[in-house]
Amino acid sequence: MAAPSQPQKATYDVIVIGAGIQGSFTAYHLAQRHKDTLLLEQFLLPHSRGSSHGQSRIIRSAYPQEYYSRMMPESFRLWQQLEAETGTTLYRQTGLVLLGPPGEPELEGCRRSLGVDQVLDAAALAQRFPGFQLQAGQVAIVDNTAGVLFADRALRAVQEVFRRHGGTLRDGEKVLRIEPGATVTVTTTAGVYKAPRLIITAGAWAGAFVEQLGLRLPLQPLRIDVCYWREKQPGSAGLGTVGPCFLTLGLSQAPHGIYGLPSIEYPGLMKVCHHHGCPTDPDKRDQALSSPARPDIALLSSFISSYLPGLETQPAVMETCLYTNTPDEDFILDRHPKFSNIVIGAGFSGHGFKLAPVVGKLLCELSLGEEPSHNMAPFAITRFPGVLGAAQ
């Protein structure tokens, strides 16, 4: 939480809206460039209303898309740099099992990104990781670099370094209005701030902000069930708190994919989730909890009984998280088509946390008018037809 003694100031070099992991890393990079940066967060920190809370996220080198796999070495390096800067452990290497049908295009893409030839069949996988039971004809590949990021700890760490470099973080301040121009004016519940540059990293709330600015982006907030499953006999499944992460690709019964990781939050449980959810209004997300229709639980129960027989088939703990998806599940990292001093980072589609150090760097570069350090074509706003009409 922002220190009460922090002086209220009206003018900054850059304002960043949204202090989740993407906005916090963006502000971190700006502050390291000696830019006087204001980071605004509508909720009091820490909170669990967005997409960056919880204790664990998967980090992996394997990606089917080359543009993400090319970012991952730098992302690992920047996570290690943050660990060194704060003297805090933010990552535990566990390995990652990717499983699916042989020859499945995304699985093959991951294998190529890892540069590995070895493909495991059911017997070889069971020998290496006894908790997993592949179905007939399916295969697995292993990403040895992968592991678990300690999410809450990482968010606190990056905000700490941002402040240490002179950044200002104001939480509990909801943005009410954005007035574009050569100098952007941002009005919150507690003040009015001005800066020549604005970056919007507001998660599930980003769509509403950019609509104020004449831009209609295809962003869909989803409420995700985050489920934890108990081992039938503690330690027997080789999962729980010590096993590898996993990710399914191309399974007919789970077209959006299922992922799992050893539980840091609840020892003796494993986090296993469907990479999909129900459309939701982020301001009314908790109301959806009363809904009796939770088809994801039945899908996960069926998957666990087939692939992870050492786990109970009903979740022991259920929580929720928000995704904000684009139609192609690629990020939006771009300047506003009409107001070039306003930069937008949105639509992280449930796989952005691991890449936040690089995303923050790219948003920083865009805002400062520099040549981005990675190919930005996959993240352009213009890939979506019909969004620019409203912005003219």
Side-chain angles (χ1 to χ4, degrees), residues 10-331:
T11 306
Y12 294 85
D13 294 333
V14 194
I15 298 170
V16 180
I17 298 175
I21 197 66
Q22 311 295 348
S24 294
F25 258 114
T26 302
Y28 160 98
H29 284 288
L30 288 162
Q32 288 194 319
R33 305 287 202 88
H34 308 292
K35 299 301 175 187
D36 188 8
T37 305
L38 171 64
L39 178 57
L40 291 169
E41 171 54 50
Q42 65 173 322
F43 301 115
L44 290 171
L45 294 170
H47 70 82
S48 59
R49 302 290 302 278
S51 303
S52 296
H53 67 282
Q55 292 186 45
S56 57
R57 295 291 188 283
I58 294 174
I59 183 168
R60 55 188 161 107
S61 296
Y63 249 109
Q65 301 93 339
E66 194 178 347
Y67 41 92
Y68 291 123
S69 65
R70 282 183 172 175
M71 292 178 181
M72 283 312 303
E74 184 177 16
S75 194
F76 272 102
R77 181 180 62 77
L78 288 169
W79 281 115
Q80 288 163 358
Q81 179 181 305
L82 182 62
E83 284 187 317
E85 285 174 313
T86 57
T88 307
T89 300
L90 301 176
Y91 160 72
R92 186 173 78 206
Q93 189 171 354
T94 64
L96 169 76
V97 175
L98 299 118
L99 55 95
E104 200 280 330
E106 288 199 324
L107 193 63
E108 279 298 295
C110 287
R111 188 183 62 77
R112 282 194 301 272
S113 74
L114 291 171
V116 300
D117 295 323
Q118 188 181 28
V119 176
L120 305 180
D121 61 13
L125 182 67
Q127 187 174 8
R128 186 162 172 189
F129 299 115
F132 287 92
Q133 182 173 285
L134 279 181
Q135 304 306 292
Q138 293 177 349
V139 296
I141 61 174
V142 177
D143 177 353
N144 290 312
T145 69
V148 177
L149 286 170
F150 304 145
D152 282 343
R153 197 185 297 177
L155 186 60
R156 287 194 303 272
V158 70
Q159 290 169 354
E160 176 192 323
V161 177
F162 166 64
R163 282 205 189 97
R164 202 188 292 164
H165 281 85
T168 302
L169 171 55
R170 301 192 65 85
D171 61 350
E173 284 199 36
K174 184 173 182 173
V175 171
L176 303 175
R177 190 166 63 254
I178 299 167
E179 297 166 58
T183 298
V184 183
T185 303
V186 176
T187 303
T188 75
T189 48
V192 179
Y193 308 100
K194 294 177 184 288
R197 303 175 188 89
L198 173 69
I199 302 173
I200 298 171
T201 49
W205 291 265
F209 280 124
V210 299
E211 232 174 276
Q212 287 183 41
L213 302 168
L215 195 58
R216 200 175 285 271
L217 295 178
L219 296 170
Q220 178 59 68
L222 301 175
R223 182 183 62 79
I224 307 299
D225 288 325
V226 180
C227 302
Y228 299 84
W229 311 75
R230 194 180 308 282
E231 290 179 290
K232 290 176 180 174
Q233 294 182 318
S236 63
L239 299 167
T241 55
V242 296
C245 306
F246 76 86
L247 182 64
T248 74
L249 295 166
L251 294 188
S252 56
Q253 66 266 48
H256 297 284
I258 291 171
Y259 65 92
L261 56 161
S263 170
I264 298 158
E265 296 92 323
Y266 305 107
L269 307 186
M270 185 174 188
K271 184 193 286 193
V272 181
C273 308
H274 189 206
H275 188 64
H276 196 58
C278 304
T280 190
D281 176 340
D283 288 318
K284 299 176 181 174
R285 157 187 152 189
D286 294 338
Q287 293 178 15
L289 289 172
S290 60
S291 167
R294 298 187 99 134
D296 290 347
I297 306 304
L299 183 152
L300 289 168
S301 295
S302 172
F303 173 85
I304 282 168
S305 64
S306 298
Y307 289 83
L308 299 165
L311 298 179
E312 301 283 357
T313 56
Q314 289 302 311
V317 179
M318 288 175 54
E319 298 171 346
T320 61
C321 187
L322 288 177
Y323 285 6
T324 306
N325 280 31
T326 60
D328 57 12
E329 295 192 8
D330 284 328
F331 310 157

